[in-house]
C-alpha cells in the first residue's frame, strides 16, 4: 500500500455509522475535520477510515502526528517528513511541500491539531490551493477554521448501545498464548452484559471510549463487581460540582482521576514524570529520566508495566511491544500533578540530559557495527530530541549546541536538512561557547547547506568551521597531544571543504585540502569517522580527475575496512564511486552490481538523497549494458526520488555527462515512445516500489 499509516493498536470496535459518514464526507469534500472531546476516539476513527479508503488515492494515505509539536515552528517540517518529502531545497518550506503535493492525489491526515488550529488552517489553505487533487482529514477538539472545511462532530458511543458494550467487553478480555480469555467477573454472553453491571458502567461513563478502556483495565484487575461498586459509590465525588467543564469533559476527567486514585503512590509519581516524553519511549529511558527519590532505576520497569496493565500508558506494537506512549489526555492530567509536585523543571532537565547523553553515544558509535542501530535509535528518539533541543535553547544554549552538533549529521543523512539547519543556526546564534562543540555544529551546518545547494553560504560556514577547529585544537590546546595540533575537528573541516569542492566541480581542490590534513593528522583509515570521511573525499576527487585506477584501488581497500568495521554509510558511498569507475572503464555489469549495493545501504539508512544518486548511476549502467526497459524504469524512479528532495538531479559533475549519454542510448535501444511510457509510469508510481524493482532487476510492465 502506498503512503504511510500507523498500525491500529487493538481491534477497532463499532462506529459503523460514523465510518460510513466519514467516508462519504471525504468523497464530497477536500477538507474534513473530525472534532470531539478528548478520549472520544477521533484518532482511531480517522486512522481506521483512512486505512479503509487508502486505495481511492493513487498516491496513498499519509499520517502526520502533530501531538509532539509544542509550537508551529516545525509544523511544515513534520508534515513534509510525514509524506516522505526529504526536502533539500533552501527556499520556503511551504512552497516546496506544495510543489511536492501538486502533481499527486494523496490523502493527508493531520492528527491532533488542537494546539495548532490556526497554523494548521493556514497551512491547509496553502496546500489545497497548490495541490488541486489533495484531500485533507484532520482531527481536533475544535474546528481549524479553514476555508471550505467540513466539520464532522464525533459523539461518544451511545452508552446503552451495543458499541459501548462491545468495546468494554473486548478491552476487558486478556490475551494468552492459547487465545483470549475473559477477565474476572466478565462473561462471554453479550446478551447478559446488556442489563448487568457492564451496562451500568457504560451508562455511567457516557460511552466515552477512553473512559471505557480505563474501566476495562480495572475490571481485568479487580473484577466487574468491584468496578461497578466503585463507580456507583465514589465516581460522583470525582466529578467537579462547579461544572467548570461540559459534562462529557467532566466524565472523562473523572474517569482519569479515578484511575489515578487506584494507582499506588509510586505509580502516580511515575505517571507524572513520564509526561515529559512527547514521543514513544522505552523502559531504559523511563528509568533514566524518571528515577529519583522513592523511584529507583531498578523499580521503574515493573511500575511501568503496572501502568500499562491499567491502560494509563499504551504499548506500541501491542501488549508485547517494547515501547510505550502516553495519550494526550492522560499526559495532560499527569502533567498537572507533576506541576503540583514542583518537579516540572527538574524532570525536563533530566530528559534533556538523557537526550544529550544518547546523542553523544550515537555519535561515538557511528564508526562500527552499531551504526545502523544508532540510526534507528536517533530516528525513534526524534520527537524527544526536538523537545530536548527546545528546552536547552531556552535554558542551556551551550548544551543545545552540543546536542544538535552530535545529531546534525544523522539528520542530514536522513533528509531532515531543514530541521537540522534550523536547530543548528539557532544554537550557534544563542550559544557563545567556543571550541570543539562549536566546530562540530558548524561542520554539520555546512554539510546541510552544501546538500541544499546553497554553496555560497556553505563556503562561509566552511571557513568559519576551519577557524573554529584551529581554535579548538591549536589555540585552546584541546587536541590529543598536550601541545595542541590538528585532530578530529580539523578533519571535519577538511571533509566539509572537500565535499563543497567536489559538488562545485573542483576535484583538485578537494584532493589538496583533504590530502594536506590527512598528512598532518596521524592514524590509519579506521582511526576515526572523520578520517574515513576525508579518505572518501579523496576517492571522489581521484575519480573526478580521471585517475580511475587509483580511485578503484583506494575505494576497494576502504570498502574492506568498512566491512570489517560493520560501517554502512561510507561503504555505500564507496560503492557509488566503484559504480562510477565501472561505467567510466566500460564495465557496466560491475557498475550495476556496485550501484545496487549502494542502494541497499542507502535504503537501510533512510538516505533519500543517496538513493536518488544511486538510481542515476544504476540507470546509466543498465543502459550501457543494453537493458533499455529497465534503465527507463530505474531512471523514472530516480526522478521521483529527486523530486522527493525538492531538487532537480544533482551529483558530482562526472555523473551528469554519463546520465545524458546513457539515457540517449536507452532511448535508441527501445525507442523514444517506449522509453517515455516506461519512464513516466515509474515517475508516477510509488518510489519505494520502483526501488524494489531496481534492486530485483525487473522493470515495471
Amino acid at each position: 500500500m502506498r503512503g504511510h499509516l500507523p498500525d491500529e493498536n487493538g481491534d477497532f470496535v463499532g462506529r459503523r455509522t460514523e465510518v460510513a459518514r466519514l467516508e462519504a464526507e471525504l468523497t464530497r469534500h477536500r477538507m474534513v475535520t473530525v472534532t470531539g472531546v478528548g478520549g472520544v476516539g477521533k484518532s482511531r476513527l480517522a486512522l481506521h477510515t483512512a486505512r479503509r479508503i487508502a486505495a481511492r488515492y493513487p498516491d496513498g494515505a499519509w499520517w502526520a502526528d502533530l501531538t509532539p509539536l509544542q509550537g508551529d515552528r516545525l509544523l511544515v517540517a513534520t508534515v513534509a517528513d510525514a509524506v516522505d518529502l526529504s526536502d533539500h531545497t533552501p527556499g520556503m518550506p511551504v512552497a516546496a511541500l506544495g510543489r511536492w503535493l501538486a502533481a499527486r492525489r494523496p490523502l493527508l491526515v493531520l492528527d491532533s491539531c488542537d494546539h495548532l488550529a490556526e497554523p494548521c488552517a493556514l497551512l491547509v489553505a496553502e496546500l489545497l490551493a497548490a495541490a488541486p487533487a489533495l484531500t485533507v482529514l484532520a482531527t481536533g477538539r475544535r474546528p481549524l477554521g479553514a476555508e471550505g472545511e467540513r466539520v464532522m462532530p464525533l459523539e461518544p458511543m451511545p452508552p446503552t448501545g451495543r458499541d459501548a458494550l462491545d468495546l468494554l467487553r473486548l478491552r476487558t478480555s486478556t490475551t494468552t498464548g492459547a487465545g483470549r480469555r475473559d477477565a474476572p467477573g466478565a462473561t462471554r454472553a453479550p446478551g447478559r452484559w446488556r442489563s448487568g453491571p457492564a451496562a451500568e458502567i457504560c451508562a455511567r461513563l457516557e460511552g466515552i471510549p477512553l473512559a471505557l478502556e480505563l474501566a476495562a483495565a480495572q475490571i481485568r484487575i479487580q473484577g466487574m463487581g468491584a468496578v461497578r461498586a466503585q463507580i456507583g459509590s465514589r465516581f460522583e465525588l470525582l466529578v467537579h460540582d462547579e461544572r467548570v467543564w461540559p459534562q462529557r469533559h467532566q466524565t472523562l476527567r473523572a474517569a482519569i482521576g479515578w484511575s489515578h486514585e487506584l494507582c499506588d503512590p509510586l505509580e502516580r509519581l511515575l505517571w507524572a514524570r513520564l509526561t515529559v516524553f512527547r514521543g514513544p519511549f522505552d523502559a531504559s529511558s523511563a528509568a533514566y529520566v524518571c528515577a529519583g527519590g522513592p523511584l529507583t532505576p531498578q523499580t521503574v520497569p515493573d511500575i511501568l508495566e503496572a501502568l500499562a496493565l491499567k491502560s494509563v500508558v499504551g504499548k506500541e506494537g501491542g501488549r508485547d511491544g517494547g515501547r510505550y506512549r502516553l495519550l494526550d489526555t492522560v499526559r495532560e492530567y499527569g502533567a498537572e500533578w507533576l506541576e503540583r509536585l514542583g518537579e516540572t523543571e527538574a524532570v525536563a532537565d533530566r530528559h534533556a540530559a538523557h537526550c544529550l547523553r544518547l546523542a553523544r553515544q550515537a555519535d561515538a558509535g557511528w564508526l562500527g557495527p552499531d551504526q545502523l542501530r544508532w540510526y534507528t535509535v536517533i530516528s525513534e528518539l526524534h520527537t524527544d530530541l526536538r523537545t530536548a533541543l527546545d528546552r536547552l535553547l531556552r535554558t542551556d544554549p551551550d548544551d543545545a549546541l552540543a546536542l544538535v552538533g552530535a545529531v546534525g549529521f544523522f539528520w542530514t543523512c536522513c533528509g531532515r536538512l531543514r530541521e537540522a539547519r534550523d536547530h543548528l543556526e539557532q544554537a550557534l546564534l544563542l550559544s557563545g561557547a567556543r571550541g570543539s562543540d562549536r566546530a562540530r555544529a558548524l561542520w554539520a551546518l555546512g554539510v546541510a547547506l552544501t546538500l541544499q545547494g546553497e554553496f555560497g553560504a556553505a563556503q562561509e560556514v566552511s571557513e568559519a568551521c576551519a577557524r573554529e577547529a584551529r581554535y579548538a585544537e591549536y589555540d585552546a590546546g584541546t587536541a590529543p597531544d598536550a601541545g595542541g595540533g590538528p585532530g578530529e575537528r580539523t578533519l571535519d573541516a577538511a571533509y566539509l571543504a572537500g565535499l563543497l569542492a567536489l559538488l562545485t566541480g573542483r576535484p583538485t581542490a578537494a584532493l589538496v585540502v583533504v590530502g594536506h590534513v590527512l598528512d598532518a593528522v596521524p592514524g590509519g583509515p579506521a582511526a576515526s569517522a572523520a578520517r574515513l570521511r576525508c579518505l572518501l573525499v579523496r576517492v571522489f576527487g581521484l575519480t573526478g580527475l580521471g585517475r580511475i585506477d587509483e580511485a578503484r584501488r583506494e575505494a576497494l581497500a576502504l570498502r574492506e575496512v568498512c566491512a570489517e568495521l560493520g560501517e554502512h554509510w561510507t561503504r555505500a558511498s564507496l560503492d557509488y564511486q566503484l559504480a562510477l569507475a565501472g561505467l567510466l572503464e566500460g564495465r557496466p555489469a560491475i557498475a550495476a552490481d556496485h550501484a545496487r549495493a549502494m542502494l541497499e545501504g542507502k535504503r537501510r539508512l533512510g538516505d533519500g538523497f543517496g538513493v536518488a544518486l544511486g538510481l542515476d548511476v544504476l540507470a546509466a549502467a543498465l543502459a550501457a549494458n543494453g537493458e533499455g526497459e529497465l534503465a527507463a524504469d530505474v531512471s523514472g524512479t530516480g526522478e521521483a526520488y529527486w523530486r522527493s528532495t525538492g531538487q532537480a538531479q544533482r551529483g558530482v559533475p562526472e555523473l551528469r555527462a554519463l546520465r545524458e549519454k546513457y539515457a540517449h542510448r536507452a532511448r535508441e535501444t527501445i525507442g523514444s515512445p517506449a522509453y517515455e511510457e516506461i519512464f513516466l509510469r515509474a515517475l508516477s508510481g510509488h518510489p519505494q516500489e520502483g526501488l524494489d524493482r531496481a534492486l530485483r532487476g525487473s522493470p515495471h510492465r
Side-chain angles (χ1 to χ4, degrees):
M1 182 180 70
R2 296 178 183 176
H4 172 72
L5 296 171
D7 293 332
E8 291 187 81
N9 283 330
D11 299 326
F12 185 82
V13 180
R15 297 293 201 188
R16 298 172 187 82
T17 301
E18 292 87 344
V19 170
R21 181 184 167 195
L22 183 54
E23 288 185 14
E25 295 285 18
L26 288 167
T27 300
R28 294 190 292 265
H29 304 280
R30 295 182 63 204
M31 170 63 191
V32 179
T33 301
V34 178
T35 63
V37 299
V40 79
K42 302 180 291 295
S43 297
R44 277 187 179 270
L45 176 68
L47 176 58
H48 184 72
T49 304
R51 296 189 78 87
R52 283 173 55 92
I53 65 174
R56 290 186 193 172
Y57 300 91
D59 293 295
W62 305 85
W63 185 272
D65 180 10
L66 306 185
T67 305
L69 299 183
Q70 295 176 302
D72 64 348
R73 184 167 54 86
L74 295 174
L75 173 61
V76 178
T78 299
V79 176
D81 190 49
V83 299
D84 271 2
L85 172 58
S86 301
D87 185 21
H88 286 57
T89 61
M92 290 297 292
V94 178
L97 182 56
R99 287 194 300 271
W100 169 243
L101 295 170
R104 291 169 169 77
R105 293 178 56 196
L107 171 65
L108 173 61
V109 186
L110 303 178
D111 184 45
S112 299
C113 301
D114 313 333
H115 56 310
L116 297 170
E118 292 182 8
C120 283
L122 293 173
L123 174 61
V124 167
E126 292 195 49
L127 295 182
L128 290 175
L134 170 67
T135 301
V136 177
L137 169 60
T139 72
R141 298 180 191 179
R142 62 188 177 95
L144 300 187
E147 185 177 353
E149 177 183 26
R150 177 72 172 182
V151 179
M152 177 180 155
L154 182 63
E155 300 293 332
M157 295 175 167
T160 58
R162 178 175 178 179
D163 285 357
L165 284 167
D166 283 349
L167 177 62
L168 185 67
R169 181 162 47 86
L170 182 65
R171 299 295 186 258
T172 296
S173 63
T174 58
T175 302
T176 66
R180 195 182 301 279
R181 63 178 176 81
D182 287 334
T187 173
R188 290 181 182 274
R192 293 175 58 188
W193 282 56
R194 292 175 188 155
S195 59
E200 293 180 38
I201 293 171
C202 291
R204 186 62 191 86
L205 298 181
E206 300 189 44
I208 299 173
L210 178 55
L212 294 173
E213 297 210 16
L214 292 170
Q218 290 300 325
I219 292 170
R220 292 197 302 267
I221 297 169
Q222 303 182 63
M224 186 78 72
V227 170
R228 178 184 62 172
Q230 289 173 15
I231 288 180
S233 63
R234 299 170 61 207
F235 205 73
E236 290 295 338
L237 299 176
L238 294 166
V239 177
H240 289 245
D241 294 334
E242 301 90 345
R243 303 286 175 177
V244 176
W245 296 280
Q247 178 60 38
R248 284 166 183 158
H249 287 267
Q250 288 181 304
T251 300
L252 177 60
R253 188 173 179 85
I256 296 173
W258 170 60
S259 293
H260 190 263
E261 282 201 355
L262 293 174
C263 291
D264 66 36
L266 290 182
E267 290 171 350
R268 294 177 199 168
L269 181 58
L270 181 58
W271 178 348
R273 291 177 178 175
L274 287 172
T275 59
V276 73
F277 290 101
R278 304 295 298 181
F281 56 90
D282 58 23
S284 62
S285 293
Y288 187 94
V289 173
C290 300
L295 284 175
T296 68
Q298 293 73 34
T299 59
V300 165
D302 288 340
I303 299 171
L304 184 58
E305 278 298 311
L307 289 175
L309 184 63
K310 294 176 179 178
S311 292
V312 172
V313 299
K315 296 190 76 169
E316 294 204 332
R319 294 192 176 275
D320 296 326
R323 295 178 68 76
Y324 303 83
R325 182 188 285 273
L326 283 173
L327 291 176
D328 273 356
T329 314
V330 174
R331 180 188 291 107
E332 290 168 7
Y333 192 93
E336 291 177 12
W337 277 89
L338 190 66
E339 186 69 31
R340 293 181 196 177
L341 292 170
E343 292 192 2
T344 300
E345 299 299 314
V347 174
D349 287 339
R350 286 206 299 272
H351 174 263
H354 169 65
C355 289
L356 177 56
R357 179 179 66 95
L358 286 180
R360 284 175 167 154
Q361 289 177 351
D363 185 40
W366 170 275
L367 189 63
D370 289 335
Q371 188 181 81
L372 284 180
R373 182 178 71 83
W374 280 117
Y375 258 97
T376 301
V377 169
I378 293 300
S379 178
E380 291 178 345
L381 195 64
H382 185 64
T383 296
D384 281 285
L385 284 171
R386 294 193 308 196
T387 301
L389 276 168
D390 287 340
R391 170 77 181 171
L392 291 172
L393 286 169
R394 296 192 303 272
T395 63
D396 192 341
D398 292 350
D399 273 356
L401 188 71
L403 174 55
V404 74
V407 300
F409 195 64
F410 281 94
W411 283 358
T412 56
C413 289
C414 295
R416 291 190 169 101
L417 293 183
R418 287 189 186 279
E419 200 164 343
R421 177 178 175 178
D422 180 61
H423 281 301
L424 285 161
E425 288 177 337
Q426 283 193 76
L428 286 163
L429 178 65
L430 294 173
S431 172
R434 296 291 309 276
S436 183
D437 285 341
R438 190 169 198 84
R440 183 77 163 161
L442 286 165
W443 167 73
L445 176 59
V447 173
L449 289 167
T450 300
L451 293 179
Q452 284 187 317
E454 285 211 63
F455 298 134
Q459 183 63 43
E460 293 180 10
V461 172
S462 176
E463 292 167 4
C465 179
R467 290 193 299 270
E468 198 65 32
R470 180 175 181 84
Y471 172 83
E473 296 178 336
Y474 286 84
D475 301 339
T478 56
D481 53 315
E488 292 300 291
R489 299 294 77 87
T490 301
L491 287 165
D492 281 339
Y495 168 75
L496 172 57
L499 176 66
L500 186 56
L502 287 171
L503 292 179
T504 52
R506 297 177 292 125
T508 300
L511 275 179
V512 169
V513 69
V514 298
H516 175 73
V517 173
L518 286 168
D519 288 342
V521 181
S528 70
R531 186 174 188 85
L532 194 58
R533 284 190 286 262
C534 284
L535 289 167
L536 175 64
V537 168
R538 176 174 165 78
V539 171
F540 272 63
L542 289 171
T543 304
L545 290 173
R547 294 158 62 179
I548 306 303
D549 286 343
E550 290 178 76
R552 185 180 62 255
R553 286 196 302 272
E554 293 193 19
L556 288 171
L558 283 177
R559 196 178 186 280
E560 287 187 16
V561 171
C562 291
E564 291 173 3
L565 292 170
E567 198 275 354
H568 293 267
W569 184 85
T570 307
R571 191 191 328 182
S573 298
L574 289 165
D575 274 312
Y576 173 72
Q577 282 299 292
L578 288 165
L580 276 179
L583 269 175
L584 292 168
E585 293 179 320
R587 299 189 294 173
I590 290 176
D593 287 343
H594 282 296
R596 288 193 171 101
M598 177 214 182
L599 288 169
E600 286 284 8
K602 293 298 186 182
R603 177 164 69 170
R604 289 179 183 179
L605 296 170
D607 182 357
F609 185 88
V611 167
L613 285 172
L615 287 167
D616 279 355
V617 73
L618 177 59
L622 293 168
N625 206 38
E627 301 176 68
E629 288 187 5
L630 186 52
D633 186 55
V634 171
S635 186
T637 301
E639 176 63 19
Y641 269 95
W642 279 116
R643 293 187 182 184
S644 77
T645 71
Q647 293 192 14
Q649 283 179 321
R650 288 177 55 200
V652 292
E654 55 268 23
L655 178 58
R656 297 170 198 163
L658 290 171
R659 275 196 304 243
E660 295 175 6
K661 173 183 176 180
Y662 289 113
H664 180 70
R665 181 174 298 185
R667 289 176 184 274
E668 288 182 336
T669 301
I670 62 174
S672 284
Y675 183 95
E676 287 296 326
E677 180 183 353
I678 296 170
F679 178 92
L680 291 173
R681 191 184 305 137
L683 174 60
S684 62
H686 193 263
Q688 292 180 11
E689 294 173 3
L691 178 56
D692 288 339
R693 293 194 303 274
L695 291 170
R696 290 196 310 266
S698 57
H700 194 309
R701 296 183 183 280

